[in-house]
């Protein structure tokens, strides 16, 4: 019987998964796999299986934001996934990260709007050390520099009436801003899954801008960064 939200089958699901926000990104990554085929499609949730360097993997999309993403995380956990890497994009909170650069979160600020309803806020959102090191080694093997540090996972895409603490978190050392990593890391810890993330910087988030047209994530630098990051994430996933 298929899962109710993602449509994934309850059995014969690979143990290792790459999760992404965009269905198109899931299709692009699946094209890199051997014997790739579509296994489920429902709403924003599109899933493929295939092989990378001889290891079966799952590639699934979860849409934008923690609430939808945790629906996928719950179902892939139920299906038997034990290792997961989120491949996505993030805004830079430091002058040291520019469009197309790679960033590996070691931990996440839990401002995601979901994880506080799963466990107390004192519970940490930390990536599995094995996954962080595997991502770092994979990036080095591709001769790609990758920074590491704290990511701010925030539920609000842009500010409206309330001011958001950009300067406070920047001052505390947060290097990037995105919308799903904390949700993944907390949920994975609860379910004893090994999880981490690889992010491609797609804009400068040091100054919050409510103008939707100020966000331009489809530049050549970002496209090229995602192409490199896809192979790095797959290598890290199968070599943990």
């Amino acid at each position: 019987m298929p899962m109710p939200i993602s449509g994934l089958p309850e059995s014969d699901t690979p143990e290792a998964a790459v999760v992404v926000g965009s269905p198109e990104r899931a299709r692009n990554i699946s094209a890199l796999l051997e014997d790739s085929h579509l296994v489920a499609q429902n709403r924003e949730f599109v899933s493929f299986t295939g092989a990378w360097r001889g290891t079966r993997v799952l590639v699934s999309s979860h849409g934008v934001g923690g609430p939808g993403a945790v629906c996928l995380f719950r179902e892939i956990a139920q299906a038997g996934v034990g290792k997961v890497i989120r491949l996505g994009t993030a805004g830079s909170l430091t002058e040291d990260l520019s469009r197309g650069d790679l960033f590996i979160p070691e931990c996440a600020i839990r401002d995601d709007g979901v994880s506080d309803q799963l466990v107390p806020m004192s519970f940490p959102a930390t990536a599995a050390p094995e996954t962080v090191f595997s991502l770092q080694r994979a990036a080095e093997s591709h001769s790609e520099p990758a920074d590491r540090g704290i990511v701010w996972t925030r539920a609000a895409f842009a500010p409206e009436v309330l001011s958001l603490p950009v300067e406070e978190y920047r001052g505390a050392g947060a290097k990037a801003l995105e919308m799903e990593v904390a949700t993944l890391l907390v949920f994975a810890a609860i379910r004893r899954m090994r999880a981490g993330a690889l992010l491609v910087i797609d804009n400068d988030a040091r100054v919050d801008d409510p103008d939707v047209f100020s966000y331009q994530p489809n530049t050549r630098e970002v496209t090229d960064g995602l192409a490199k990051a896809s192979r790095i994430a797959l290598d890290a996933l199968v070599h943990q």
Side-chain angles (χ1 to χ4, degrees):
M1 177 180 294
M3 298 282 186
I5 295 176
S6 67
L8 281 166
E10 289 186 270
S11 60
D12 196 35
T13 300
E15 187 208 358
V18 173
V19 296
V20 297
S22 163
E24 179 182 5
R25 193 168 297 155
R27 294 186 186 96
N28 290 342
I29 297 173
S30 73
L32 301 174
L33 305 178
E34 300 173 8
D35 192 28
S36 171
H37 58 281
L38 179 71
V39 292
Q41 184 170 358
N42 185 45
R43 297 187 178 185
E44 67 267 41
F45 307 101
V46 179
S47 298
F48 302 83
T49 60
W52 181 257
R53 304 195 189 282
T55 300
R56 289 186 71 225
V57 298
L58 172 73
V59 179
S60 294
S61 63
H62 53 63
V64 176
V70 78
C71 294
L72 176 71
F73 304 156
R74 186 178 301 276
E75 293 196 352
I76 64 174
Q78 182 68 28
V81 170
K83 298 188 295 183
V84 57
I85 290 175
R86 166 165 156 69
L87 173 62
T89 54
S92 172
L93 293 173
T94 171
E95 61 276 1
D96 296 331
L97 291 171
S98 303
R99 278 190 176 92
D101 288 349
L102 304 184
F103 180 70
I104 302 169
E106 296 174 308
C107 56
I109 297 165
R110 290 178 51 198
D111 199 17
D112 57 308
V114 178
S115 65
D116 62 320
Q117 298 182 26
L118 304 180
V119 292
M121 283 302 293
S122 55
F123 190 87
T126 56
E130 301 94 333
T131 306
V132 172
F133 297 149
S134 185
L135 284 164
Q136 188 76 63
R137 287 194 299 268
E140 291 170 355
S141 73
H142 285 261
S143 300
E144 293 294 333
D147 200 357
R148 286 162 45 180
I150 302 168
V151 70
W152 175 15
T153 300
R154 193 176 80 185
F157 184 79
E160 293 294 342
V161 177
L162 297 178
S163 297
L164 299 170
V166 176
E167 286 306 312
E168 289 86 341
Y169 281 141
R170 285 190 66 225
K175 292 184 176 181
L177 169 66
E178 59 82 65
M179 301 179 73
E180 297 90 11
V181 169
T183 306
L184 171 62
L185 299 184
V186 168
F187 181 82
I190 296 169
R191 292 299 184 95
R192 309 298 192 267
M193 301 164 74
R194 187 181 296 175
L198 178 61
L199 305 174
V200 178
I201 300 301
D202 67 357
N203 71 302
D204 186 342
R206 286 177 289 176
V207 178
D208 256 327
D209 190 343
D211 179 6
V212 66
F213 294 107
S214 69
Y215 178 58
Q216 298 293 336
N218 298 315
T219 64
R220 175 59 64 85
E221 297 96 328
V222 177
T223 300
D224 290 347
L226 284 166
K228 297 171 185 175
S230 297
R231 291 171 170 80
I232 292 170
L234 288 165
D235 277 352
L237 188 66
V238 303
H239 289 147
Q240 288 187 59

